[in-house]
Amino acid sequence: MKKFSLQNGKKRFAIIGLLIFMGFGTVFLRLIWLQVIQNEELAKRAANQVTGKVTKYSPRGAILDCNGEELAVSIMSKSLYVDPVEMQDNPTKKGEKPERDVKRLAADLLAGVLQVKADELYADFTTEARFIWLKRTMEPKDAAEVERIIRENKLPGLHFLEESKRYYTKKSMAAQVLGFVGTDDNGLSGIELALDSVVKGAETQQQEVVDALGRPMGDSGFNKARPQKMASVYLTLDSKIQFVLEDALDKAMKDTKAASAAVILMDPNTGAILGMANRPSFDPNTFYKFPATSWTNRAISTIYEPGSVFKPIVGVMGLTEKIITPTTMINDTGSIQIADRTIRNWDGEGMGLVPFQDVIKFSINTGMVQLGMQLGAQRMIDYSKKFGFGSVTGVELPGEEEGILYDPEQMYQPDIATMSIGQGIAVTPLQMLRAICAIANGGELLQPYIIDKIVMPDGRVLRQGQKKVVRRVMSEEVANQMRGMMEQVVASGGGKAASIKGYRIAGKTGTAEKLAETGGYAAGKYIASFVGFVPADKPQYAMLIMLDTPQGAFYGSQVSAPVFRDTLQQILVAKGIQPSSSEGLPSFEQHAKPGAVISNVPAPEKMPQMEIMADGKIKVPDFSGLDMRQTAELIQQGRLVLVPHGSGRARRQSQPPGTVVAEGTKLEIWFE
């Protein structure tokens, strides 16, 4: 019996040992299987359980002026959303009522900072949706306040995502040029729309450490990945010039009570647009608060009858075809009959026999009609198309209009007559200025451009703006002849209000009846304009100002020419362009000549300094004795606006020396 029990014990022990050995072997083999054979697959599964794909947004590329001054920039801003399913009330025990109504509490606490009614928030919180936006691109202080409320009250289901938020640093300045973006970072107008594919923030999928519900957790190495940078756009606009244009339009709108206005300043030698402004305007930061009509860039999208500013173009046609010369005598009787149409001069008076240059100088309608009838319909339309009328200029802005030209085969005699004085056709301000620039630069029609360059984050220039000649539209001889005639318009003709003492100005006034929306002309409504360039002999700036429906005085010579004068005077002085007639001012050569002694000019070590205060304000120096160039250089340093009076040396200033003023303050200085 004992022997039998001992044998059974040994047998059982052996079986148990074998089972233990097999168990260890199985575990060992399982470990080998998991750690070696399935290592890669399990690592992927583990990673998938703690990481998730999250969309990252990068800030929109900046828009800057030609000097690198920021006009539009973006920062990453927090956007708040809710997952209502997560926003559950948590009772302490099963079946008990919750200690608090989380959804109602969250709605009440967040309503104020989100500026939404509490009941509206509560309605969002009680849906079955998994994702609802509550507030996009929040201001930093608002986002911080929401974070505090969520943290202190332990509110579940509320989360942030980072999105790009656009800021327009100059507010309404160049608003129609820049345009604006929507909440999804989509460009909706202006440069923002035209270059949306270039500057729009990129969307990238990144791995982030997440919790069981797929929410990002903390600042892991993944979560700290930096967003991609976008290209920067440099415009040809000069902020200082743009400021002067905007200020001039504000004053013009106030003085004339016009319905709207547009102004463009252009380099006639390259086609670069240095300034473009419109009224009414808006602030792109809050574009939705303004009527849609204020978003319109009238400089490229308003079509209007140009009136007398078109006469130099018709004059060029006649000179090129050798129908007239500047001295060809024209008989002005005050009115002219063409078929059933009587066309009169603006004053109804006739000047008798006058040379054609006086037809331009005094804007004589009868003389232009006589030239137009000799040119005929076909040649006038062909030349107009050659000058770019009837087609877009190709500037890099959306919404440009083509304008309207006659079909020459459908033109009657009165149509030819009215077209010769700038009526019966429709142009945009940019088309009109471009055509005049061809006269200014010696005969080349240029393609206007407003993008100076597009620069990638690594410094590569993706695109470079440059002069582009579309075609030659006149000889240099004809251009010189018309420049001379346009200079006389300002020197002693109908555009004297545009004259700037010491500078040679060429220009032309225009007053045209306004087209009515129902057809024909609107009674008592006019478009007043002035177009010109300076200096007349070597043009550097060309400008057009258009005022729509000014009240009271409505002639271009009365309301638009003074705007041209006041604007260009500031720009010429600020840019240091020396007057043709210096009246005692030292020339550029004298300034540049080493060791030159110029009487009454302060020595460099005695030059006053423009002191910039810690808060960004400027302490005004004493300008006494300085010439215009020295004054302008100091004014530029302090980013002030110079309003000069007279010429010679500074004798009096509107802000006494030592006065502390803000950037952009107007400073009037009287020179003698």
Side-chain angles (χ1 to χ4, degrees):
M1 191 75 174
K2 285 183 179 179
K3 185 177 179 181
F4 175 78
S5 297
L6 183 60
Q7 287 177 345
N8 275 350
K10 288 182 178 179
K11 187 177 181 180
R12 285 196 297 270
F13 181 78
I15 291 171
I16 292 171
L18 180 61
L19 290 173
I20 293 173
F21 177 76
M22 290 175 64
F24 276 109
T26 301
V27 172
F28 180 74
L29 291 173
R30 181 62 176 168
L31 289 173
I32 294 295
W33 175 260
L34 294 176
Q35 295 292 329
V36 179
I37 299 175
Q38 282 200 313
N39 177 56
E40 254 184 67
E41 178 64 25
L42 293 176
K44 288 180 182 178
R45 290 185 188 179
N48 289 337
Q49 288 176 356
V50 297
T51 63
K53 284 187 177 180
V54 179
T55 301
K56 285 284 187 179
Y57 299 90
S58 60
R60 196 174 181 87
I63 302 176
L64 310 96
D65 80 343
C66 62
N67 298 311
E69 194 163 335
E70 291 178 334
L71 303 176
V73 295
S74 288
I75 63 169
M76 295 311 294
S77 178
K78 291 184 176 181
S79 292
L80 179 67
Y81 73 92
V82 63
D83 181 347
V85 175
E86 289 182 26
M87 192 177 268
Q88 298 297 330
D89 302 320
N90 298 313
T92 53
K93 293 181 181 179
K94 188 175 181 180
E96 290 184 1
K97 289 185 177 180
E99 294 178 352
R100 60 178 187 167
D101 184 342
V102 174
K103 295 179 180 180
R104 173 51 65 184
L105 176 63
D108 292 339
L109 291 173
L110 295 175
V113 65
L114 298 181
Q115 296 183 336
V116 180
K117 291 181 179 178
D119 288 344
E120 292 179 10
L121 283 176
Y122 186 74
D124 287 336
F125 296 160
T126 52
T127 66
E128 295 298 318
R130 295 303 306 266
F131 186 100
I132 298 175
W133 282 120
L134 297 180
K135 185 83 170 185
R136 306 287 292 276
T137 58
M138 301 177 68
E139 293 295 329
K141 61 181 181 61
D142 293 336
E145 177 63 12
V146 170
E147 285 181 317
R148 184 191 65 78
I149 292 172
I150 294 172
R151 182 178 63 255
E152 292 181 358
N153 296 277
K154 299 179 180 179
L155 301 176
L158 295 161
H159 310 288
F160 286 102
L161 283 178
E162 284 202 333
E163 294 187 286
S164 176
K165 183 175 177 64
R166 201 64 156 169
Y167 288 97
Y168 298 91
T169 61
K170 309 289 185 183
K171 296 186 177 180
S172 63
M173 193 172 90
Q176 290 82 3
V177 173
L178 297 174
F180 51 85
V181 298
T183 52
D184 291 314
D185 202 33
N186 292 320
L188 300 179
S189 72
I191 288 292
E192 297 282 29
L193 172 59
L195 295 181
D196 193 48
S197 61
V198 176
V199 298
K200 183 177 181 179
E203 295 182 16
T204 55
Q205 296 289 329
Q206 293 184 2
Q207 294 286 344
E208 288 200 346
V209 177
V210 296
D211 63 12
L213 294 174
R215 298 170 300 190
M217 293 177 59
D219 291 330
S220 69
F222 281 139
N223 297 356
K224 287 184 176 180
R226 292 185 177 181
Q228 177 184 346
K229 290 185 178 180
M230 305 310 295
S232 296
V233 177
Y234 290 78
L235 302 181
T236 56
L237 298 183
D238 184 317
S239 289
K240 295 180 179 64
I241 287 176
Q242 186 70 28
F243 180 87
V244 173
L245 295 184
E246 302 270 357
D247 190 57
L249 274 195
D250 284 335
K251 184 176 185 301
M253 293 291 287
K254 180 181 178 182
D255 293 344
T256 68
K257 297 179 174 57
S260 61
V263 62
I264 314 169
L265 188 75
M266 191 165 156
D267 182 338
N269 302 299
T270 65
I273 296 173
L274 307 177
M276 179 182 285
N278 296 266
R279 290 295 181 275
S281 192
F282 68 101
D283 185 346
N285 292 296
T286 53
F287 68 90
Y288 45 84
K289 295 182 179 179
F290 296 81
T293 52
S294 66
W295 306 342
T296 302
N297 189 343
R298 290 168 170 78
I300 63 169
S301 63
T302 292
I303 58 172
Y304 67 105
E305 292 191 352
S308 294
V309 294
F310 193 71
K311 289 175 179 175
I313 305 303
V314 179
V316 166
M317 299 178 194
L319 293 169
T320 302
E321 290 293 318
K322 302 189 183 304
I323 296 174
I324 46 95
T325 68
T327 57
T328 298
M329 301 306 291
I330 304 291
N331 186 25
D332 171 28
T333 58
S335 66
I336 187 170
Q337 187 77 26
I338 303 295
D340 61 349
R341 187 79 57 85
T342 301
I343 297 176
R344 295 180 173 83
N345 290 335
W346 66 275
D347 59 358
E349 300 294 326
M351 298 182 69
L353 279 175
V354 295
F356 181 75
Q357 58 192 12
D358 280 3
V359 172
I360 297 293
K361 179 178 178 180
F362 297 111
S363 200
I364 300 173
N365 286 343
T366 61
M368 293 307 303
V369 170
Q370 292 175 57
L371 173 58
M373 299 310 295
Q374 292 183 69
L375 283 164
Q378 191 64 56
R379 282 196 289 190
M380 287 185 72
I381 295 300
D382 288 346
Y383 269 104
S384 295
K385 289 180 178 179
K386 193 175 179 182
F387 270 98
F389 297 108
S391 59
V392 297
T393 67
V395 71
E396 312 97 322
L397 289 169
E400 186 179 12
E401 291 287 342
E402 294 182 345
I404 302 172
L405 289 179
Y406 286 108
D407 178 348
E409 295 183 0
Q410 302 296 320
M411 290 178 73
Y412 297 99
Q413 294 292 299
D415 297 330
I416 300 172
T418 55
M419 181 176 172
S420 67
I421 59 173
Q423 293 187 334
I425 61 170
V427 305
T428 67
L430 184 57
Q431 284 177 335
M432 193 66 244
L433 180 59
R434 174 169 79 148
I436 294 298
C437 283
I439 297 172
N441 66 36
E444 293 180 337
L445 186 74
L446 305 177
Q447 180 173 316
Y449 66 98
I450 201 164
I451 297 174
D452 183 25
K453 58 185 175 181
I454 300 175
V455 182
M456 299 301 289
D458 60 5
R460 288 182 298 114
V461 177
L462 184 65
R463 174 176 165 185
Q464 180 72 60
Q466 58 186 352
K467 174 181 177 179
K468 182 179 179 181
V469 179
V470 178
R471 67 182 72 92
R472 176 164 285 279
V473 293
M474 73 191 82
S475 67
E476 289 191 11
E477 180 186 5
V478 167
N480 286 333
Q481 290 173 335
M482 186 50 67
R483 277 202 300 266
M485 288 186 247
M486 292 178 69
E487 185 175 358
Q488 287 305 306
V489 170
V490 178
S492 54
K496 285 187 287 187
S499 63
I500 302 173
K501 191 173 182 180
Y503 292 92
R504 294 175 60 181
I505 312 290
K508 187 70 187 76
T509 61
T511 307
E513 293 176 282
K514 187 178 178 182
L515 295 170
E517 293 181 2
T518 56
Y521 294 101
K525 295 185 177 181
Y526 300 89
I527 300 286
S529 60
F530 186 89
V531 65
F533 46 87
V534 61
D537 52 339
K538 294 179 181 178
Q540 295 189 43
Y541 298 108
M543 177 176 153
L544 181 143
I545 168 75
M546 180 201 74
L547 296 172
D548 184 348
T549 322
Q551 304 298 305
F554 59 83
Y555 285 110
S557 59
Q558 296 173 304
V559 295
S560 297
V563 178
F564 179 96
R565 175 198 63 212
D566 296 343
T567 303
L568 264 299
Q569 181 166 279
Q570 292 185 55
I571 293 170
L572 291 169
V573 172
K575 295 299 181 180
I577 296 177
Q578 197 80 345
S580 301
S581 174
S582 61
E583 299 184 15
L585 288 175
S587 66
F588 277 120
E589 289 74 18
Q590 285 176 299
H591 274 295
K593 187 177 179 181
V597 178
I598 305 170
S599 60
N600 299 323
V601 178
E605 64 272 12
K606 296 181 181 179
M607 284 285 290
Q609 300 297 312
M610 185 68 75
E611 185 179 348
I612 311 297
M613 314 293 286
D615 59 0
K617 292 188 176 180
I618 300 96
K619 182 179 286 188
V620 177
D622 185 354
F623 292 94
S624 298
L626 301 186
D627 62 32
M628 277 196 182
R629 176 172 177 165
Q630 294 168 323
T631 302
E633 288 174 352
L634 275 178
I635 289 288
Q636 277 188 296
Q637 290 175 20
R639 297 189 178 185
L640 303 177
V641 177
L642 174 62
V643 181
H645 301 281
S647 59
R649 303 284 171 195
R651 290 291 178 265
R652 185 162 57 93
Q653 58 194 72
S654 59
Q655 299 284 357
T659 304
V660 177
V661 299
E663 178 182 330
T665 299
K666 287 184 181 179
L667 187 61
E668 293 185 88
I669 297 183
W670 286 263
F671 296 86
E672 296 176 4

